[in-house]
Each structure stands twice: as C-alpha cells, then as structure tokens.
Amino acid sequence: YIELPGRIEYEYAQNMLFPRMYSSDGRHVAAYKEWAQVKGTPVKFNRCGEMVTVMKPTFAENLRYFFAYQLNFMYWRYFMWNFSGRQNDIQGNGEVSNGNWITGIPFIDEALVGPQEDMPFDIINNKGHNVYYMLPLLLGILGLLFQAYSGEKGIQSFWVTFFLFFMTGLAIVLYLNQTPYQPRERDYAYAGSFYAFCIWIGFGVAALAKGLQKYGKLSPVIAGSVATVLCLLVPIQMGAQNWDDHDRSNRYVCRDFGANYLESCEPNAVIFTNGDNDTFPLWYAQEVEGIRTDVRVCNTSYLQTDWYINQMKKQAYESDPLPISWQPEDYVQGTRDAAYVFPMTDKSIDLKTALDFVRSNDPKFKKIPGINQELDYIPAQTLTMGVDSAAVMAAGVIDTANLPYLQKEMKIDLKGKDVLGKQELIILDMLQTNDWNRPIYYAITVSPDQFVKLDPYFQQTGMAYQIVPMETQGTVRSINTEKMYDNVMNKFKWGGVNTPG
C-alpha cells in the first residue's frame, strides 16, 4: 500500500453534537444563515497566533437547518413530487415559484405556494407541472397502516418495508449532510425510498378491498375487483400527468450533438472533453453507432488518474495511441498530481525543458526557496514551444491564406495560475510530443480553467476549438469559417430541435 499525500484533516476550533453546517464557502454560509435564521453565539479562538471572534451557530440553529433544508427541502419535497404533485421542473432553491410540491387542490396549493390563477404562460405550460391530488400519498398511508395492523406477521413485514424506506431515503439525508445550492435537483438519490413507499400503495389497494369486503358485505372477488378498478384511477392520473414531460420520442438531441462534436474534428483528431454531457454522448456515438471512431475522446477529469492515462496510450478503434511521452512511473497516482507555478526567472523557458524539469526526480529540482519540503514545480511563468512550419503545413493545420500569421513559437502565459494539475501537465506533454501530427481540439463546453492558457491559439471549427500555431484571440481568425460552414450546414444533425414545437 502507498500512502497518498494531500489528505487534509480539519481540526475545528469548536464543535457540537450533530453538526449540520460545516462549509466555509461564502454562498453556503449565506444560505445557512437564511435557512436556519442564524444569529449565533460569539466564540473566540486562536487562529495562527491571532485571537479571532466568530459567530458560532447554536445547536438549535443546526437543527433548524437540518429540518428546514436537509429534511424538508431535500427529501420531503422530492417525496411529495412523486405522490402529491409537482409545481414545475425548474430547479428551486427555496423560492416560491420553482420546484415546489403541490397537490392540484386549489386552496391547499394557495396556502403552499400562493395564488394559482392568472399564472404566466411559461409556468402554466411547463410540462413538469403534474398534479395527483395527493391520491398516491393517501393510498400509501392507508397501506402503511394496513400492513402495520395486520397481526404479528404484518408488523414484522412493516418494519422490513419501513427500514427499506428509511435507509434508502432519510438515512441518506443524515449521511450526506448536504450543503445548499446543489448543482442539480437530487430527487434521483432517493429512488429506493420512493419504491418502498410504492409497496405501501400496493397494500393500500388490499386495504380498500378488505374494507369493502368487511363493511360493504361484498364477496372477496367483487371487493377485490371494485378496489382494483377504483385504484386504477391513481396510476392513470399519474401516467397522464407525467407523459408529456417524460416522452422521449423523436428526441435525438443527445445522440446527434454527440456526433456533432466528433464531426467538428479532422480525421485522426484528439478532442478534450470535461463533463458528462460532452463526453458520454460522444462515447455512445462511437461505441454503439460507429460514428467517427478515428477521433480520440480524452476526458480531462479522468486524465488526472494513472489508469486513464494508461488507456489513452493504447490503440482504440482507428485511433492511434495518444502522443504521451511520460512513463507510468512519472504519473502513477500520488506522483506529480500537481505542479506549482513558481517562477525562478523572469524569462520564458522552453516547454520541453519545463516538463523535463517537473519530470525529473533529482532533489535539487524539487526545492523552492523558503519552503521546507520537496515539491514539483514549473520554474517559469511563461513557456514557449517552437513551431515547425514544415510539419504544420504537411499536416494541413493551417491553410496557405493564414501562412503569414504562422508563428515561429507559441507562448503559453501561465499568469494567474498557481498550480497545474496532472491532466494539464499531460496535455502540455501531448502538445509537445505531437508536433502537429494529429489535430488537437477542445470541446466548446470545456471549462476555461482547463485550457492551460492555450485559448489564444483556439480556432473554432464547429462544436470544438482546434489548437493552431497562430494567435487568433480577438481576430477574425478565431473561427475557421470554411470548416465551420461545412460542418454546420452539411454534417451536423439537430436531434429534432429544428422541428417547430
């Protein structure tokens, strides 16, 4: 086993039983105060030799946040979406207009989220507006009681169902201790809990049949038939309400745009992606439909790991191994996970020299003045990479019209970056090793903080930016109009978004 560096153990100056508010992110702190109505109590502590006074949230305020946000907003709201109704599919952060649960019963909804008459067009026509009149909820509560009061075996099976419900729902809330402003609605995390409640809905039908049999003096067959017919109205209502916002027929946006990213690239290209929406559809297009399997999709989030770099150094379909010169011992997990930008000179240095410097295991290349530990670092803020014009022209990276703008060297200005992650080091190594043999692109959706300051050399060709050896930023050269036009007009597919309605 290898102990990896970088794990931080926080020691809090003050703590309490069942702490719920822990994030120091400014947005989270503001939301904590709002959700828990925090006033706090003053606490003094020693911060690096300086006595500091902060307002510590009380235990009661932690509990208020737990009940108001984590339990009510982040669980029961989602629960009620499924068994009572949903206002709309716009992500909510506590405001009255977005993502709340409703019933479809006017006076209840008015009490919950305000008047429902004369709503704006986009709210009235939101396909995520679904109402069930609380019928699934009431049926589930009836089934819960029926199971619990059905003798010894009934109560035993009730506890089994209850703990399935609890452990896949409320227990997750307790464990995750979620912060405010989640990046998306988290209802999917509790699907197991909702399935468990559906068991009680099933028992609710049985309870209704038993009631009809006992109090309506009906035979078991007739009672069961009547209960079934009556209760069928519940899933019919739910299905009718949910159909329009769950119907995926003729929706091929994901598939087609995945192909569009690939079609934006020249043959045998490399395209860097970053998130799920600009990676998985591309993989699908290649793996399932065989579209542009000559292009190598390289996800920068995964490029921080040794196993993924190993994959990138292998053949995949018609895509040759990526031009990575570093060996496994250079990037194995825990090794060169990051390199600090610490200029030892005001002058620029050659990119290959800088990468060799980081790659070296010589202790003298790990010492930074004033720091008592060995660190991987880049010794200059500006890196240069020479451009072989013959290689550029042979590869067709730029056309003859742009030949006057071809640069003898590219400057990579790292100003504003304190550290380069492993993925950024590998990208720079690829750029250096590739020597323009393969076209290299970034998907247009990649976050700028992953660009390694290469964006002055980006040229858009569709849904991708190609790295070219000429400055394009702020010029007409930032778009390759011929390739862009050909891709958009002749190669791109639109997944149905070009169809009215």
Side-chain angles (χ1 to χ4, degrees):
Y1 292 92
I2 300 170
E3 186 173 342
L4 300 177
R7 297 193 178 197
I8 299 172
E9 294 292 335
Y10 290 98
E11 183 178 334
Y12 290 95
Q14 292 285 325
N15 216 323
M16 65 177 66
L17 179 68
F18 197 59
R20 295 284 95 187
M21 293 183 274
Y22 65 92
S23 172
S24 58
D25 183 290
R27 292 175 72 241
H28 295 165
V29 171
Y32 285 148
K33 291 178 179 178
E34 186 175 350
W35 281 99
Q37 302 165 35
V38 173
K39 294 179 180 177
T41 180
V43 171
K44 291 184 177 180
F45 74 100
N46 189 317
R47 185 173 67 190
C48 302
E50 177 189 7
M51 291 305 295
V52 177
T53 301
V54 295
M55 299 305 290
K56 169 191 169 187
T58 64
F59 177 65
E61 287 165 346
N62 268 270
L63 283 183
R64 190 181 297 135
Y65 172 73
F66 170 65
F67 284 108
Y69 181 78
Q70 293 182 331
L71 272 188
N72 185 47
F73 191 73
M74 293 302 290
Y75 177 76
W76 289 117
R77 179 172 65 104
Y78 296 143
F79 176 87
M80 296 297 278
W81 277 6
N82 288 273
F83 304 110
S84 175
R86 185 180 184 184
Q87 185 182 28
N88 53 49
D89 61 4
I90 303 169
Q91 181 171 358
N93 287 300
E95 64 274 16
V96 75
S97 57
N98 295 330
N100 297 291
W101 68 271
I102 56 174
T103 64
I105 303 170
F107 75 92
I108 297 179
D109 294 342
E110 187 167 332
L112 290 171
V113 294
Q116 299 297 293
E117 298 85 20
D118 301 322
M119 300 295 278
F121 176 85
D122 60 329
I123 294 179
I124 294 173
N125 291 278
N126 184 287
K127 292 181 179 180
H129 180 86
N130 301 320
V131 295
Y132 317 134
Y133 307 108
M134 301 181 80
L135 295 174
L137 177 70
L138 296 173
L139 201 56
I141 293 172
L142 179 63
L144 179 156
L145 296 172
F146 175 73
Q147 187 182 28
Y149 288 97
S150 294
E152 185 179 349
K153 286 190 175 182
I155 193 65
Q156 288 175 351
S157 63
F158 165 80
W159 284 116
V160 172
T161 311
F162 172 80
F163 279 109
L164 175 62
F165 174 76
F166 178 81
M167 295 305 293
T168 56
L170 295 169
I172 294 175
V173 173
L174 291 167
Y175 174 74
L176 291 178
N177 196 10
Q178 287 173 324
T179 58
Y181 295 118
Q182 292 292 308
R184 63 186 65 84
E185 296 283 22
R186 299 298 196 183
D187 53 310
Y188 55 86
Y190 313 114
S193 179
F194 307 149
Y195 291 150
F197 191 80
C198 290
I199 295 173
W200 283 323
I201 291 178
F203 277 117
V205 181
L208 192 59
K210 283 284 187 182
L212 289 171
Q213 183 182 343
K214 182 177 180 180
Y215 299 108
K217 307 300 181 183
L218 302 177
S219 69
V221 173
I222 294 175
S225 301
V226 172
T228 300
V229 170
L230 287 174
C231 292
L232 268 176
L233 296 173
V234 175
I236 289 172
Q237 169 68 10
M238 297 178 78
Q241 289 287 302
N242 278 278
W243 183 264
D244 57 352
D245 49 316
H246 290 82
D247 178 16
R248 296 291 179 265
S249 59
N250 299 315
R251 292 191 184 186
Y252 299 104
V253 173
C254 184
R255 183 197 69 179
D256 287 356
F257 273 66
N260 291 346
Y261 280 104
L262 298 171
E263 293 292 3
S264 300
C265 303
E266 292 292 298
N268 199 32
V270 180
I271 181 169
F272 294 122
T273 61
N274 182 221
D276 43 15
N277 291 335
D278 60 12
T279 303
F280 303 146
L282 282 68
W283 283 346
Y284 167 83
Q286 292 183 320
E287 297 279 347
V288 180
E289 303 205 3
I291 297 170
R292 293 302 305 274
T293 51
D294 59 303
V295 176
R296 179 65 68 95
V297 178
C298 183
N299 183 284
T300 60
S301 302
Y302 293 155
L303 202 60
Q304 302 171 57
T305 65
D306 50 9
W307 60 266
Y308 189 72
I309 299 171
N310 291 338
Q311 281 189 11
M312 293 296 101
K313 295 175 72 173
K314 296 178 180 178
Q315 178 86 18
Y317 295 118
E318 291 81 40
S319 169
D320 293 330
L322 292 191
I324 299 172
S325 68
W326 284 25
Q327 299 304 308
E329 60 270 19
D330 298 323
Y331 57 78
V332 66
Q333 189 173 356
T335 303
R336 297 178 186 86
D337 290 334
Y340 294 89
V341 179
F342 194 88
M344 303 290 282
T345 175
D346 293 333
K347 297 179 180 178
S348 61
I349 63 173
D350 178 67
L351 175 59
K352 186 176 186 307
T353 303
L355 291 172
D356 288 343
F357 185 95
V358 174
R359 190 177 174 182
S360 172
N361 291 316
D362 191 329
K364 70 182 180 183
F365 294 145
K366 308 297 177 187
K367 293 179 180 178
I368 299 177
I371 297 177
N372 296 324
Q373 60 176 318
E374 292 186 355
L375 294 170
D376 297 309
Y377 71 98
I378 298 281
Q381 203 167 54
T382 305
L383 310 178
T384 61
M385 188 182 83
V387 176
D388 183 344
S389 58
V392 170
M393 297 306 293
V397 177
I398 65 172
D399 53 29
T400 52
N402 284 311
L403 192 57
Y405 304 106
L406 177 62
Q407 295 181 232
K408 292 182 178 179
E409 66 176 19
M410 293 170 60
K411 286 189 177 182
I412 303 169
D413 184 1
L414 298 177
K415 186 177 181 181
K417 286 191 77 72
D418 298 320
V419 65
L420 297 181
K422 180 179 290 181
Q423 77 280 15
E424 295 171 301
L425 295 171
I426 295 297
I427 287 170
L428 290 175
D429 174 62
M430 269 193 254
L431 189 67
Q432 172 69 42
T433 308
N434 182 56
D435 195 26
W436 309 107
N437 285 317
R438 298 178 70 171
I440 297 179
Y441 297 80
Y442 275 87
I444 61 170
T445 39
V446 172
S447 174
D449 61 15
Q450 296 291 318
F451 288 165
V452 209
K453 300 290 187 171
L454 293 169
D455 43 314
Y457 303 98
F458 281 0
Q459 189 173 56
Q460 190 173 359
T461 59
M463 295 189 71
Y465 300 117
Q466 184 177 4
I467 301 173
V468 295
M470 59 180 178
E471 286 202 28
T472 61
Q473 206 166 46
T475 74
V476 294
R477 298 183 297 280
S478 63
I479 296 177
N480 188 321
T481 51
E482 288 189 14
K483 289 182 180 177
M484 184 90 160
Y485 182 87
D486 182 47
N487 288 332
V488 172
M489 301 303 292
N490 300 322
K491 297 180 182 178
F492 281 11
K493 293 180 288 187
W494 304 101
V497 296
N498 55 330
T499 303

